[in-house]
Amino acid sequence: MVDNEKIIIVEGLSDKKQIKKILADEVEIICTNGTLGVERLEELLIEYDLDNKDVFILVDEDNAGHKLRKQLSKELPHAEHIFIDKAFREVAATPEPELATALLSRSIAVNPIFLI
């Protein structure tokens, strides 16, 4: 069981690594590795107690990301959405200052060296 109250859901490991280095908060980051099957989503809901945590959805600005965001929105209506600029398309390709600002906008503490 995870004790963290904040959880960020991302698509892939490269997204997780990019976000993890920016964070100053204790935040659990879950990788979906693309779209989720119903069973896997149910496992995540139970394993991470997602119904009782602050959940943030941060996915790529592409078709797969939009599909995943829509799916997660249905299952986790309380989740907050963090968006990246469409110009970067992928979370992993988003410059650190951009990501830091996006995370900070949702009251997620970031290392100040990533803020311009």
Side-chain angles (χ1 to χ4, degrees), residues 4 6 20 22-28 107-111:
N4 300 347
K6 292 180 181 174
K20 202 149 191 77
I22 295 170
L23 293 174
D25 244 350
E26 278 297 313
V27 178
E28 182 74 27
S107 301
I108 298 171
V110 298
N111 187 325

Side-chain angles (χ1 to χ4, degrees), residues 6-9 54-58 79-80 82 106 108:
K6 292 180 181 174
I7 294 181
I8 300 174
I9 300 176
D54 292 332
V55 179
F56 301 89
I57 300 169
L58 177 55
E80 289 189 52
I82 302 173
R106 293 290 185 254
I108 298 171

Side-chain angles (χ1 to χ4, degrees), residues 6-97:
K6 292 180 181 174
I7 294 181
I8 300 174
I9 300 176
V10 298
E11 288 176 82
L13 199 54
S14 56
D15 300 335
K16 181 176 181 171
K17 286 178 182 171
Q18 180 76 339
I19 293 166
K20 202 149 191 77
K21 66 182 176 186
I22 295 170
L23 293 174
D25 244 350
E26 278 297 313
V27 178
E28 182 74 27
I29 302 173
I30 301 172
C31 293
T32 65
N33 301 311
T35 53
L36 290 168
V38 174
E39 280 182 25
R40 178 70 180 126
L41 185 54
E42 198 62 37
E43 287 171 14
L44 291 175
L45 284 167
I46 295 165
E47 181 181 346
Y48 293 97
D49 192 23
L50 296 179
D51 288 328
N52 298 305
K53 301 281 174 82
D54 292 332
V55 179
F56 301 89
I57 300 169
L58 177 55
V59 295
D60 295 345
E61 282 296 323
D62 59 13
N63 286 340
H66 293 169
K67 185 176 176 185
L68 180 59
R69 188 182 294 279
K70 192 174 181 179
Q71 181 186 14
L72 290 169
S73 293
K74 285 181 188 163
E75 295 297 324
L76 300 164
H78 71 288
E80 289 189 52
H81 296 269
I82 302 173
F83 294 93
I84 57 165
D85 191 310
K86 287 177 177 53
F88 304 119
R89 288 185 53 79
E90 298 175 2
V91 172
T94 302
E96 289 140 353

